[in-house]
Amino acid sequence: VDDWIRTLGRTCRRTLQKATEADGAGVFTVTALPIHETALRASAEIAPHSTLSHFRCILEHNLRLLDRHSPDWTQEDFVGMLMETMERFALTTQMSGIIYEYRNRNGDLVAFSHEVRKGSTVRGQWFYSTTEGSASYIWFHAVLGLVTRAIGSHKALTVDLGPNGNDGRLEAHGKLKSRYGFEMVEDWPSVADYRGPFW
């Protein structure tokens, strides 16, 4: 992990340090919640993030991005954002993996990430945060945790931060990820091998 961090620019290293300090200071707490296979087979058990709090987290995240990237958004844009929120909530609760919940000092959910491990790849499939969570270095903490777990697993050869989207935010997301060493690859199956079981 230290070798990866040393390859980053000074600002990125400092940001990761701030994320670690925020964790140590109790600004947020992290809990890992595995999505059991039975929750994906329409059984009585449901995915651990099938709650209103998690839906609100996605909604606030998407609304913030809409304001940032389309400040003059229209009614149609808002409806589109709501539909996207519902779709993403449905998708994340129907996927395998592990949920990492971030809660503030009051115990309120402020962010969550969805990690998938399959074949020789660890993927940060989804990440959503409230406005409070977005100001607490949580995304950077989630990326650091993802890389740390991948390196420690001795199974992963690739860490994938997932797609950047195709809605005009692609360039902004891609630039942020590239600063932390994640290259944008069109032919991603040639780099991230997902063949094999979940683990």
Side-chain angles (χ1 to χ4, degrees):
V1 176
D2 290 339
D3 290 340
W4 165 62
I5 293 176
R6 277 193 288 269
T7 68
L8 306 179
R10 181 178 180 181
T11 300
C12 294
R13 295 197 305 271
R14 179 57 181 153
T15 298
L16 292 178
Q17 182 180 345
K18 288 181 178 179
T20 302
E21 291 171 353
D23 183 13
V27 174
F28 52 77
T29 56
V30 192
T31 304
L33 303 172
I35 305 173
H36 297 294
E37 201 173 316
T38 53
L40 305 176
R41 294 201 298 256
S43 67
E45 184 178 5
I46 63 173
H49 55 317
S50 299
T51 74
L52 182 58
S53 293
H54 291 84
F55 179 82
R56 285 176 174 169
C57 188
I58 299 174
L59 178 61
E60 190 169 335
H61 181 95
N62 286 346
L63 182 57
R64 187 173 64 255
L65 289 180
L66 180 64
D67 277 333
R68 180 183 303 165
H69 297 287
S70 303
D72 298 320
W73 52 264
T74 64
Q75 227 174 18
E76 288 76 13
D77 294 329
F78 182 77
V79 172
M81 182 276 297
L82 286 178
M83 293 178 65
E84 181 181 279
T85 296
M86 290 185 283
E87 179 183 22
R88 292 189 174 191
F89 181 69
L91 285 171
T92 184
T93 54
Q94 295 300 313
M95 287 183 174
S96 181
I98 302 172
I99 298 299
Y100 289 89
E101 276 191 349
Y102 287 81
R103 294 183 179 272
N104 63 16
R105 288 188 172 96
N106 297 324
D108 301 320
L109 182 74
V110 293
F112 73 92
S113 64
H114 187 158
E115 180 177 311
V116 177
R117 305 170 185 173
K118 192 176 190 300
S120 61
T121 302
V122 176
R123 177 170 181 153
Q125 182 68 32
W126 304 105
F127 177 85
Y128 301 107
S129 66
T130 64
T131 300
E132 176 185 348
S134 70
S136 303
Y137 298 98
I138 292 178
W139 183 82
F140 304 97
H141 186 273
V143 171
L144 177 59
L146 187 73
V147 173
T148 300
R149 289 186 292 272
I151 292 174
S153 71
H154 303 296
K155 293 182 180 181
L157 299 177
T158 305
V159 176
D160 181 0
L161 285 189
N164 296 324
N166 56 4
D167 53 4
R169 305 169 196 159
L170 185 150
E171 186 176 358
H173 292 174
K175 284 182 178 179
L176 176 60
K177 293 175 183 178
S178 67
R179 291 175 61 193
Y180 288 84
F182 293 88
E183 296 181 12
M184 184 170 161
V185 179
E186 293 291 340
D187 184 22
W188 56 265
S190 66
V191 178
D193 189 354
Y194 286 95
R195 293 172 296 179
F198 290 98
W199 48 278

